[in-house]
Amino acid sequence: MDVSRTTSRFSFASNCGLFPVKCGNLRRYARGGGDLVGNSVTLRVSGGSRRVKSLVSNASARGGDEVETVVIERPGLAPFQVLAGSPAPLGATACDGGVNFAIYSSGATAAALCLFTLSDLTANRVTEEVVLDPLINRTGNVWHVFLQGELDDMVYGYKFDGKLSPREGHYFDYSRILLDPYAKAVISRGEYGVLGPGGECWPQMAGMIPVSNEEFDWEGDLPLQYPQKDLIIYEMHVRGFTKHDSSEIDSPGTYISAIKKLDHLKELGINCIELMPCHEFNELEYFSYNSVLGENKLNFWGYSTVSYFSPMIRYSSAGLANCGRDAINEFKTLIREAHKRGIEVLLDVVFNHTAEGNENGPMISFRGIDNSTYYMLAPKGEFYNYSGCGNTFNCNHPVVRQFIVDCLRYWVTEMHVDGFRFDLASIMTRSCSLWDPVNVYGNPIEGDMVTTGTPVGGPPVIEMISNDPILCKVKLIAEAWDAGGLYQVGSFPHSGIWSEWNGQYRDIVRQFIKGTDGFAGAFAQCLCGSPNLYQDGGRKPWHSINFICAHDGFTLADLVTYNNKSNLSNGEDNRDGENHNLSWNCGEEGEFASITVRRLRKRQMRNFFLCLMVSQGVPMIYMGDEYGHTKGGNNNTYCHDNYFNYFRWDRKEESSSDFYRFCRLMIKFRYECESLGLDEFPTAERLQWHGHQPKTPDWSETSRFVAFTMSDSLKGEIYVAFNTSHLPVTVTLPERSGYRWEPLVDTSKPVPYDFLSDDVPDRATAVKLYSHFLDANLYPMLSYSSVILILQPDA
């Protein structure tokens, strides 16, 4: 890199921007009520043809001192003026006439702002470098500068100097150009899966510089604000949703293409999508040749954040166009169009670790800016690894928790998202690093103390989010465990507003539906919204996010097809992924099975889905489960950018008259039943348990039968029963004088008689076939089946 140094002495007049920035309007003040200040600033400018020009103004009111400002002239580019800037807000902020830059770093002794044109960034060459003067460009632990002029076509990064001592937690290295944690768009590679210049997996990254006139037409978009009890959540991967050729869509795998398939979700009955990570990450993080599949491994899922404010640029059809601003607008368009269809959007956020990994990982941003602030460190600088991914974000440090709140607020106010699911959220309840207690408290600590990583009862970051006037009104969902063994399902600090991924629901339902003894009582708790977990803590059924399958683990089809994981295609000798899947292959391993086994598998899939729809709490469906997507038994497809993770639109069409139809009708039925999305846990006034005989439930260890009736203001009353035994049974139904039970759902019946919707041909005849049983108040249930009956007036 050809670098020349030019030093110019200059002073700051009353328009230097020394104090806080008001959005869209930089309020500028002079120190000492308008006095002129003389200080030195060093400007490092790349390229010998560029020069620094001093402009002399009028003398000041005090003593006639000469006032100088600095203007950087750039051949072919507009000049800009360098002013002191403001310490707030953090990040790059477009203001009247320029941009204010502010970044936190408590340990740095020197800092510089680096500017790039896109061509220079690709060539790994700094276009302009402005060295910051700690006397002028630093307030407390915030470095800042204001650049007055046109910077529309440039991007930026920072350099920091200071102590390089990993044992003390410091990684300052002035040769590294670092990404601003508050950057609103990250510019590096523009095309998904394509290496950078020179075959780089990690080319230089830089942040987009905002412009003051950038506007997006929200077309009057407002939050939908559905009551959480009414949600049907769909966990979706943006790229995987439309990348398969069968999507037959332009720009597959992007935000824009996802919009064109939202009508599928509306037809299915989904009113909330949970997007797997859309924060900027590097899909080439695991880039290596996978000899098993003959292709390269990628980080497909995206649980390895590079930048928390930036949407994933390579999920946009625009790529790097307009320095990433077009990509931001594409993401906003996805939110707007989802809202038009009555669909809320939640983001899966990963505040438990970053892509920088442990001490052997890349230095991208946080580590080089202030490692001991952003990460949990042991006394000798080692990285705590409660995430299982090399580092742990120091969430409860005052600076970091403010960063998290600022980030969440940005996505709500600027991007219009409706809430968040927090990956490995239990890490957010662990105490922050106390690696230097002498500096923190002024003297050595004696006796009991809260050590780094200890779970705390009132985690500051959770309290900040919960009490924030904006964030307390959006959906907040915790994955209430982490890789360090902390498991908080039912006990996550909640403030009455946090929900949880209910992992116990998943495990119990899987075991009961496949016919494992000893789970009848626990299964009944799941149907009621898990009051055993949530009622004593003052929470409601809708604080439980119920799911059978998610991105991590077997799909619904694989859950009934494989007893064992089949992850050889990951290239890790089948060592990765969960070994205890609580699955059952219905008698034969793998997809190629007898007709009898395949029929049983479809029945089991319907049983699982019916259970999800009749349970109190909030149901969540994994993308593709509505048509029976298979990953061939691979329960850890994090590294596959291929058919494993792609939604198969051709398969969805094939199953449109089969399982997809069943799922769509079951969701519709849930909406139609007032009693299946209650605000409160059901009581005996509404709910009654039954066994093979009315009012005689069997909660014994060998019971494989659970049934209940539920009074419903819209349906009158419904009867739901699960027979997970290998033996058929004839059940006696509760008597209701003047009424008779009419079958609606029977998972043992062939399509379309598994769900007797009004459009079923010869529906009346199909119902009449049951009449000899129903006249005797009986109903026959095959093994591994479930039913729903509706109370109707007796003709």
Side-chain angles (χ1 to χ4, degrees):
M1 185 184 303
D2 180 20
V3 176
S4 62
R5 294 172 180 259
T6 306
T7 302
S8 177
R9 180 175 180 81
F10 63 96
S11 300
F12 293 92
S14 60
N15 64 346
C16 297
L18 297 175
F19 297 103
V21 176
K22 183 178 180 181
C23 186
N25 179 25
L26 180 64
R27 295 180 295 173
R28 301 165 186 166
Y29 302 95
R31 298 181 182 181
D35 293 337
L36 303 174
V37 183
N39 287 293
S40 296
V41 166
T42 301
L43 300 174
R44 184 175 297 146
V45 184
S46 67
S49 62
R50 295 174 176 83
R51 49 199 173 87
V52 175
K53 179 180 179 182
S54 295
L55 300 179
V56 180
S57 74
N58 295 328
S60 76
R62 185 198 295 178
D65 293 338
E66 187 178 78
V67 180
E68 296 179 273
T69 58
V70 171
V71 174
I72 299 179
E73 289 186 350
R74 305 170 294 165
L77 298 172
F80 62 82
Q81 187 174 356
V82 181
L83 306 175
S86 166
L90 294 175
T93 306
C95 307
D96 290 347
V99 179
N100 190 79
F101 298 86
I103 186 169
Y104 168 90
S105 180
S106 63
T109 58
L113 173 68
C114 299
L115 303 176
F116 305 84
T117 61
L118 290 183
S119 59
D120 280 350
L121 179 68
T122 302
N124 201 26
R125 181 175 57 241
V126 176
T127 307
E128 307 284 0
E129 184 174 317
V130 180
V131 177
L132 306 184
D133 188 331
L135 297 177
I136 299 171
N137 301 110
R138 183 172 184 171
T139 304
N141 289 326
V142 178
W143 298 80
H144 48 80
V145 66
F146 182 80
L147 301 186
Q148 186 171 327
E150 296 296 329
L151 302 169
D152 295 6
D153 298 322
M154 303 196 78
V155 293
Y156 74 103
Y158 287 98
K159 289 183 177 182
F160 288 98
D161 206 357
K163 184 180 291 187
L164 179 58
S165 176
R167 286 180 61 85
E168 297 178 81
H170 302 305
Y171 284 80
F172 293 106
D173 183 349
Y174 201 73
S175 68
R176 304 288 188 126
I177 300 174
L178 305 168
L179 191 62
D180 181 2
Y182 280 79
K184 304 306 187 294
V186 174
I187 307 303
S188 60
R189 295 178 297 103
E191 188 175 349
Y192 188 96
V194 177
L195 293 167
E200 283 286 339
C201 292
W202 292 93
Q204 179 62 54
M205 299 180 181
M208 175 268 292
I209 298 178
V211 294
S212 58
N213 61 353
E214 187 73 22
E215 293 185 359
F216 177 77
D217 185 4
W218 282 104
E219 299 179 4
D221 178 66
L222 292 171
L224 297 174
Q225 295 185 323
Y226 292 138
Q228 187 153 311
K229 70 181 184 65
D230 296 335
L231 295 184
I232 307 287
I233 299 176
Y234 187 89
E235 189 187 26
M236 188 182 104
H237 190 282
V238 169
R239 181 172 172 84
F241 192 50
T242 60
K243 185 58 181 173
H244 194 265
D245 290 343
S246 61
S247 68
E248 297 181 346
I249 203 167
D250 294 334
S251 302
T254 64
Y255 303 122
I256 291 298
S257 64
I259 293 171
K260 299 175 183 178
K261 294 295 188 179
L262 287 176
D263 287 340
H264 158 70
L265 300 181
K266 186 174 179 62
E267 177 190 53
L268 180 59
I270 300 300
N271 62 4
C272 180
I273 53 177
E274 180 183 297
L275 298 179
M276 290 174 66
C278 288
H279 288 158
E280 184 71 22
F281 66 92
N282 183 6
E283 74 280 8
L284 299 182
E285 181 176 7
Y286 314 132
F287 192 74
S288 60
Y289 184 72
N290 184 341
S291 59
V292 178
L293 289 183
E295 59 184 32
N296 290 305
K297 290 175 64 172
L298 299 180
N299 177 3
F300 185 80
W301 285 351
Y303 289 93
S304 192
T305 307
V306 167
S307 176
Y308 290 99
F309 279 81
S310 171
M312 177 63 170
I313 298 299
R314 290 173 299 286
Y315 280 174
S316 71
S317 63
L320 301 181
N322 199 16
C323 291
R325 299 182 191 94
D326 289 353
I328 293 174
N329 287 340
E330 279 194 27
F331 182 88
K332 290 179 177 179
T333 303
L334 172 59
I335 307 299
R336 185 189 68 195
E337 296 305 307
H339 286 174
K340 285 181 180 179
R341 291 162 174 80
I343 300 173
E344 292 190 335
V345 181
L346 312 181
L347 294 189
D348 195 340
V349 292
V350 190
F351 287 110
N352 56 78
H353 76 285
T354 77
E356 291 185 308
N358 59 20
E359 66 277 3
N360 298 316
M363 189 182 296
I364 305 167
S365 178
F366 303 99
R367 178 174 297 144
I369 293 170
D370 204 323
N371 183 69
S372 61
T373 290
Y374 286 106
Y375 296 113
M376 282 191 192
L377 303 179
K380 294 184 180 180
E382 305 97 329
F383 290 88
Y384 281 106
N385 188 19
Y386 295 115
S387 68
C389 298
N391 64 54
T392 305
F393 212 47
N394 205 16
C395 298
N396 282 301
H397 186 285
V399 170
V400 182
R401 64 181 184 248
Q402 185 62 58
F403 167 80
I404 291 173
V405 169
D406 290 346
C407 178
L408 297 176
R409 276 186 157 215
Y410 172 79
W411 287 93
V412 172
T413 58
E414 295 296 324
M415 301 296 213
H416 288 206
V417 302
D418 302 283
F420 308 91
R421 178 263 185 187
F422 294 79
D423 182 65
L424 297 184
S426 288
I427 281 176
M428 300 173 70
T429 72
R430 293 183 180 271
S431 60
C432 65
S433 289
L434 198 61
W435 61 276
D436 192 355
V438 175
N439 286 346
V440 174
Y441 293 100
N443 50 62
I445 300 298
E446 296 181 2
D448 295 336
M449 60 179 288
V450 177
T451 57
T452 300
T454 302
V456 294
V461 67
I462 301 298
E463 291 188 349
M464 282 185 69
I465 295 170
S466 303
N467 293 298
D468 185 86
I470 293 174
L471 301 179
C472 70
K473 297 298 183 182
V474 303
K475 276 75 177 182
L476 302 172
I477 302 171
E479 183 184 35
W481 56 83
D482 65 23
L486 183 55
Y487 189 79
Q488 297 175 309
V489 172
S491 61
F492 188 85
H494 56 82
S495 301
I497 61 176
W498 287 74
S499 302
E500 296 172 8
W501 263 28
N502 191 344
Q504 291 194 29
Y505 178 97
R506 171 199 60 204
D507 297 345
I508 290 168
V509 169
R510 286 187 178 192
Q511 293 183 88
F512 181 77
I513 294 294
K514 73 172 182 163
T516 305
D517 285 340
F519 286 94
F523 180 72
Q525 293 274 13
C526 292
L527 293 172
C528 291
S530 301
N532 57 314
L533 294 177
Y534 301 112
Q535 193 165 32
D536 288 346
R539 285 192 276 184
K540 308 297 182 183
W542 45 268
H543 285 116
S544 173
I545 306 299
N546 302 329
F547 65 104
I548 309 295
C549 300
H551 68 275
D552 194 0
F554 280 151
T555 66
L556 186 58
D558 289 350
L559 186 66
V560 300
T561 305
Y562 296 89
N563 282 352
N564 304 301
K565 67 183 182 183
S566 181
N567 295 2
L568 286 172
S569 57
N570 295 355
E572 300 176 39
D573 296 325
N574 214 38
R575 296 189 303 269
D576 62 306
E578 178 59 60
N579 292 318
H580 306 288
N581 295 285
L582 306 176
S583 60
W584 178 43
N585 62 18
C586 297
E588 297 178 32
E589 187 77 356
E591 293 185 53
F592 299 101
S594 65
I595 293 177
T596 302
V597 168
R598 293 205 300 269
R599 286 174 178 166
L600 177 57
R601 288 173 178 174
K602 286 190 174 183
R603 191 151 79 237
Q604 286 290 75
M605 288 173 63
R606 289 193 284 264
N607 291 335
F608 279 120
F609 202 86
L610 185 149
C611 172
L612 195 60
M613 289 301 118
V614 301
S615 297
Q616 301 299 325
V618 178
M620 186 188 80
I621 306 161
Y622 176 54
M623 181 182 81
D625 277 351
E626 69 268 32
Y627 67 81
H629 182 77
T630 178
K631 297 182 180 181
N634 192 322
N635 69 356
N636 190 33
T637 58
Y638 73 98
C639 59
H640 292 284
D641 181 30
N642 55 37
Y643 61 92
F644 279 145
N645 288 311
Y646 294 169
F647 190 101
R648 294 289 303 271
W649 294 95
D650 51 346
R651 296 283 178 85
K652 180 257 177 175
E653 293 304 323
E654 291 171 5
S655 69
S656 61
S657 61
D658 190 352
F659 188 60
Y660 174 72
R661 170 186 177 272
F662 182 84
C663 293
R664 177 174 55 81
L665 292 173
M666 276 304 310
I667 292 174
K668 182 174 181 288
F669 175 75
R670 180 181 174 91
Y671 283 133
E672 292 173 347
C673 290
E674 161 269 339
S675 61
L676 296 182
L678 298 176
D679 273 322
E680 303 290 339
F681 294 102
T683 64
E685 295 179 358
R686 179 189 286 270
L687 174 113
Q688 193 170 54
W689 297 105
H690 307 286
H692 295 161
Q693 300 293 322
K695 301 182 183 180
T696 57
D698 182 1
W699 307 123
S700 69
E701 284 294 303
T702 58
S703 174
R704 298 187 183 181
F705 185 87
V706 171
F708 66 91
T709 50
M710 180 83 77
S711 60
D712 188 276
S713 62
L714 300 177
K715 295 290 186 181
E717 191 171 6
I718 62 174
Y719 175 89
V720 181
F722 298 85
N723 177 30
T724 64
S725 169
H726 61 287
L727 299 173
V729 62
T730 299
V731 299
T732 302
L733 303 173
E735 290 193 20
R736 298 290 185 260
S737 179
Y739 294 86
R740 64 184 281 121
W741 293 102
E742 181 176 295
L744 179 68
V745 179
D746 188 333
T747 61
S748 70
K749 302 297 182 185
V751 177
Y753 305 106
D754 54 346
F755 198 114
L756 293 174
S757 56
D758 292 338
D759 60 349
V760 171
D762 302 321
R763 182 183 186 279
T765 302
V767 171
K768 192 172 183 180
L769 292 175
Y770 296 92
S771 61
H772 59 296
F773 283 102
L774 297 174
D775 287 344
N777 223 35
L778 302 172
Y779 192 87
M781 293 185 66
L782 291 186
S783 60
Y784 302 108
S785 69
S786 50
V787 300
I788 299 176
L789 288 78
I790 305 294
L791 200 64
Q792 298 287 2
D794 191 347

